[in-house]
Amino acid sequence: MTLTAGLPHEPAHGWRRVPEELSARVPAEQRGPGRGRDDVRLLVSRGTAVAHHAFRELPGLLRAGDVLVVNTSPTLAAAVDGRIGHARVVVHFSTRGDDGRWAVELRDPDGAGTTRPRAGGPAGTRVRLPGGVRLTVEEPLVPGGGRLWWARVSPGGAVPGLLGEYGRPIRYSYTERDQPLSVYQTVFALPSADGSGSAEMPSAARPFTSGLVTELVSRGVLFAPVTLHTGVASAEVHEPPYPERFAVPESSALLIGAVRAGGGRVIAVGTTAVRAVESAAGDDGVVRARAGWADLVVTPARGVRVVDGLLTGLHEPEASHLLMLEAVAGRAAIERGYDEALRGLYQWHEFGDVHLVLPEQGPDAQHCFGNLL
């Protein structure tokens, strides 16, 4: 299978860079006694109107009959130490291919528990991994690319066991310390029969707890599970996402269709859920059961056919995810929201605060939208 990636030329985002001190360095539940995953802030945008909430207030911001599209992909312990000759490297396992190979990124350890970029390849490079496993780099994931490469592991089928025994979650330099894999699993994560999963946590769902899900269900909010196995993103260069494995089951496709027919809103939890459900939508906007490779890049030019709203983390100005947010809400809404997030000292990245983007408030809206700035 040949994978390609590309992003239409778009103007650079105009807002200022995110100060380093706004990076969330540890999970919310580790910031003080008695705190939980849902102890994060919730920025809410309806058009250019912005409100500030606690994430625990989410049930009061949704309506009976709304459906939340959630990603059930589990997070993998995708980082494994290895050696090329005498040199130490860290292998980030990204995506399992149809032919049994894995897309991987080779990184250099930085001596502080995280990694720094290194040149990928060349073809034929051999990496010694723990447990007698060998990895052979074969070809770039994208022709002409150099960061992610297809690699073959021997013995075949060894990767799930390798990750389970020797792997650890991928960690970036803005975090304070290593965390157990459980910290990176969302309440919606389900094990995959073939050992596949996400190299990076579908982090928009991280603040959900079983108690909050129960409250949402009791208020009539519905859930449509989908799966999209997220690959490795670059911490240094914000590339568009590469093709990723996804599945939208028939039950979720039918539920989304029924909600839309009944006037409810389809709200995706995370950009991964947007990509999955929009990949399963036809030109008529109808979502049908589908599984395979999601190669769709959602941009304002392409727009969205299914999603009315989005719950997502806060992304840096260079991130391609911002084009998806603009496709859902428009550039003015996202710029206003991010200005308020910076002014309000919101926390960024996978352990940080979250942003709920909803359609503009209409005259027949059922909920009061307070705290407007």
Side-chain angles (χ1 to χ4, degrees):
M1 176 180 181
T2 300
L3 302 185
T4 59
L7 190 68
H9 292 292
E10 298 279 353
H13 295 284
W15 49 80
R16 60 190 184 277
R17 293 192 61 81
V18 180
E20 287 187 13
E21 59 268 24
L22 295 187
S23 294
R25 302 191 182 280
V26 296
E29 63 271 23
Q30 296 178 15
R31 296 177 200 157
R35 299 196 64 171
R37 285 185 172 220
D38 53 359
D39 277 308
V40 296
R41 299 169 70 190
L42 178 64
L43 182 77
V44 182
S45 293
R46 296 181 190 263
T48 55
V50 179
H52 301 274
H53 293 268
F55 184 75
R56 288 173 177 167
E57 298 176 65
L58 178 65
L61 297 166
L62 302 180
R63 306 172 186 165
D66 287 344
V67 61
L68 292 175
V69 182
V70 296
N71 187 359
T72 63
S73 177
T75 306
L76 300 175
V80 179
D81 293 324
R83 287 187 178 273
I84 299 175
H86 296 293
R88 295 174 56 226
V89 296
V90 178
V91 180
H92 287 175
F93 284 85
S94 180
T95 303
R96 183 179 62 84
D98 292 331
D99 58 2
R101 297 187 298 176
W102 281 75
V104 303
E105 180 186 28
L106 302 184
R107 307 272 297 185
D108 286 326
D110 64 1
T114 56
T115 61
R116 56 177 177 264
R118 63 171 285 144
T125 298
R126 295 174 182 264
V127 184
R128 302 192 311 277
L129 299 173
V133 176
R134 298 290 185 268
L135 181 146
T136 303
V137 174
E138 294 189 347
E139 61 180 328
L141 181 69
V142 174
R147 189 173 67 85
L148 289 170
W149 287 67
W150 283 118
R152 196 170 298 278
V153 174
S154 60
V159 173
L162 174 75
L163 301 185
E165 187 167 358
Y166 300 105
R168 62 185 179 276
I170 292 173
R171 177 187 158 203
Y172 292 116
S173 58
Y174 50 77
T175 57
E176 186 174 292
R177 56 181 176 268
D178 286 345
Q179 298 285 349
L181 184 59
S182 59
V183 165
Y184 292 87
Q185 301 296 5
T186 75
V187 71
F188 304 111
L190 296 172
S192 176
D194 63 0
S196 295
S198 288
E200 296 185 349
M201 172 177 54
S203 56
R206 190 182 189 280
F208 283 87
T209 63
S210 57
L212 187 68
V213 171
T214 299
E215 182 179 354
L216 287 163
V217 171
S218 72
R219 288 173 175 255
V221 176
L222 305 167
F223 288 84
V226 300
T227 301
L228 187 138
H229 296 315
T230 309
V232 172
S234 172
E236 294 79 30
V237 180
H238 293 279
E239 304 160 318
Y242 293 100
E244 296 162 319
R245 288 182 174 275
F246 85 104
V248 175
E250 184 174 7
S251 57
S252 292
L254 292 173
L255 177 58
I256 292 168
V259 166
R260 297 186 73 204
R265 298 176 299 183
V266 178
I267 299 170
V269 178
T271 57
T272 61
V274 175
R275 199 178 192 208
V277 75
E278 291 287 332
S279 294
D283 292 340
D284 56 3
V286 175
V287 177
R288 298 175 176 86
R290 188 178 170 196
W293 290 89
D295 57 5
L296 174 66
V297 179
V298 179
T299 67
R302 188 268 184 190
V304 289
R305 297 170 181 168
V306 179
V307 172
D308 300 303
L310 172 61
L311 180 72
T312 183
L314 294 165
H315 306 284
E316 292 185 340
E318 302 89 346
S320 61
H321 294 307
L322 289 173
L323 295 176
M324 181 184 291
L325 270 66
E326 288 184 19
V328 174
R331 186 181 182 93
I334 301 307
E335 288 188 339
R336 173 69 196 283
Y338 271 66
D339 283 343
E340 290 298 327
L342 288 168
R343 191 176 76 168
L345 303 181
Y346 276 67
Q347 295 283 294
W348 255 252
H349 302 302
E350 66 267 30
F351 297 142
D353 299 315
V354 285
H355 186 193
L356 177 62
V357 179
L358 292 173
E360 290 192 62
Q361 191 83 342
D364 58 346
Q366 301 176 28
H367 294 283
C368 177
F369 190 59
N371 300 326
L372 291 178
L373 298 182

